[in-house]
Amino acid sequence: MCRRFLTLQFNTASPSLKTTTDQNSVAGTPADKDFSGRRIAADKLRLLGVRLLSAAGMSHDDAAMVSEHVVGNSLMGVDSHGVVRFAQYMSLIESGAIDPAGTPLVVIDEPTMIRIDGRGGHGVPAMVQLAECTAQKARTAGMATGALVNCGHTGRIGAYAETIARQGCFAVIIGGGGHTRGNPKVAPYGGREGIMGTNPYTLALPGGPTGVVVVDFATSTSAQGKLLAASKTGEPLPPGTILDRDGRPSIDARDYYAGGVLLPAAGPKGYGLGLIGELLAHGVLGQARALNWLVLAVDLDLLGDDDYVSRIDDYLEWVKGRAPAEGFDEVMIPGEPEQRCRKLREQSGIPVADEIWQEIIDWADRMGIVLSDIEANSDFHGAQVR
């Protein structure tokens, strides 16, 4: 039987808060975003996230797992799936879209296949379990398939593909099924009305300068989380990302939330990939609560020969050595920018926009969480939560 894994290591000690605008430099890393001059230490945000989600009804273990995931995304510069999600998760719990007490249930557990019912709970704990179980089965049998249904938002899917890849496997994760929620937000190629969700694909395998190569992308022009973040910070969208409610191109993320739609990435290519995701996740796996997920894992030690690791690393080293194009300093392997951003933000804190921080404060007030109490427990008594 595939049991539920709890591999998270969460520091529950109250950490210090940093709101400094001073940014320590990390070699090869561009200047970090600075939305408001507010920078908060990762440990402080983890602790605050646990308190928020626990107050909303999640178990401490699940709240810690979700908070670790969210803050980890912010550290990596994936702000679309970072601290902006805390207020969203609280709203989803309040509306009933996520059951804070829902825990995953394994409904199919075969040597090469596992299916998990999220039972309406948050998707992060369920996906952690699915990724680890699928990798475990692949290492035993050579290849394994996993499915997750009936769960809330699962966060950044690349994190779970990385979990599988770090166990010596090639991972593929595909999501879809969101059109059944009544408000699909990605248009087909040649269309202006939504027919599906962003339907992400993620592929990963071990190797390279970070130890694993992860390619994680929405089949739309942007992940919805990037639009959410842009709507809070006021950053303009790249042209060609969305249409407004009248079918006209727009660079204002607010037009998306006012009845607009995302476009498919690369036109017919993103449309085709997204459509396959919808057919698999909805047509095969059934009704989705948020998105349903299909996970594939292949044991590379069994598939490859004795030299596959060195060939992967040699090729990636060769790619790294190619001449950069105008406007670039170097060629990087997927995962390198995120690793460098993590080093920078671990030193200087995570930038949090005013509107995002105010939403967190509002939820803390509503749930009776006293921010000054968190600060009073800090080892750094000179800073103030603001």
Side-chain angles (χ1 to χ4, degrees), residues 104-158:
L105 176 67
V106 176
V107 293
I108 296 176
D109 191 0
E110 300 293 338
T112 60
M113 184 173 294
I114 180 171
R115 179 175 170 128
I116 294 177
D117 182 342
R119 296 202 288 185
H122 200 290
V124 168
M127 277 296 289
V128 168
Q129 181 180 1
L130 181 68
E132 295 193 353
C133 287
T134 306
Q136 180 188 71
K137 289 179 181 296
R139 293 293 288 176
T140 300
M143 185 173 183
T145 304
L148 174 61
V149 299
N150 188 27
C151 68
H153 190 259
T154 46
R156 182 177 62 88
I157 302 304

Side-chain angles (χ1 to χ4, degrees), residues 50 100 153-155 160 183 194 197 205 224 249 278 304 325-326 332 354 356:
V50 170
H153 190 259
T154 46
Y160 314 114
N183 189 27
L205 76 169
Q224 281 187 322
E278 201 72 8
E326 184 176 352
M332 289 194 283
D354 288 338
I356 295 171

Side-chain angles (χ1 to χ4, degrees), residues 115 149 174-177 199 201 273-286 292-294 296:
R115 179 175 170 128
V149 299
I174 303 171
N199 293 6
Y201 278 60
L273 287 171
L275 196 65
I276 290 295
E278 201 72 8
L279 294 174
L280 281 170
H282 167 70
V284 176
L285 297 182
N292 289 335
W293 298 94
L294 179 70
L296 305 174

Side-chain angles (χ1 to χ4, degrees), residues 32-153:
D32 195 10
K33 296 177 182 178
D34 201 350
F35 303 118
S36 64
R38 176 184 298 101
R39 287 181 172 270
I40 304 176
D43 281 351
K44 177 65 65 175
L45 289 170
R46 290 189 190 100
L47 179 62
L48 183 54
V50 170
R51 291 193 174 184
L52 283 170
L53 296 170
S54 296
M58 293 184 69
S59 70
H60 181 272
D61 284 343
D62 284 353
M65 192 177 297
V66 174
S67 187
E68 175 72 21
H69 180 88
V70 165
V71 176
N73 294 338
S74 284
L75 281 172
M76 296 171 68
V78 188
D79 295 304
S80 60
H81 290 68
V83 296
V84 68
R85 296 288 182 167
F86 280 138
Q88 182 192 44
Y89 291 159
M90 297 296 287
S91 296
L92 290 171
I93 291 171
E94 183 180 55
S95 70
I98 292 177
D99 178 1
T103 56
L105 176 67
V106 176
V107 293
I108 296 176
D109 191 0
E110 300 293 338
T112 60
M113 184 173 294
I114 180 171
R115 179 175 170 128
I116 294 177
D117 182 342
R119 296 202 288 185
H122 200 290
V124 168
M127 277 296 289
V128 168
Q129 181 180 1
L130 181 68
E132 295 193 353
C133 287
T134 306
Q136 180 188 71
K137 289 179 181 296
R139 293 293 288 176
T140 300
M143 185 173 183
T145 304
L148 174 61
V149 299
N150 188 27
C151 68
H153 190 259

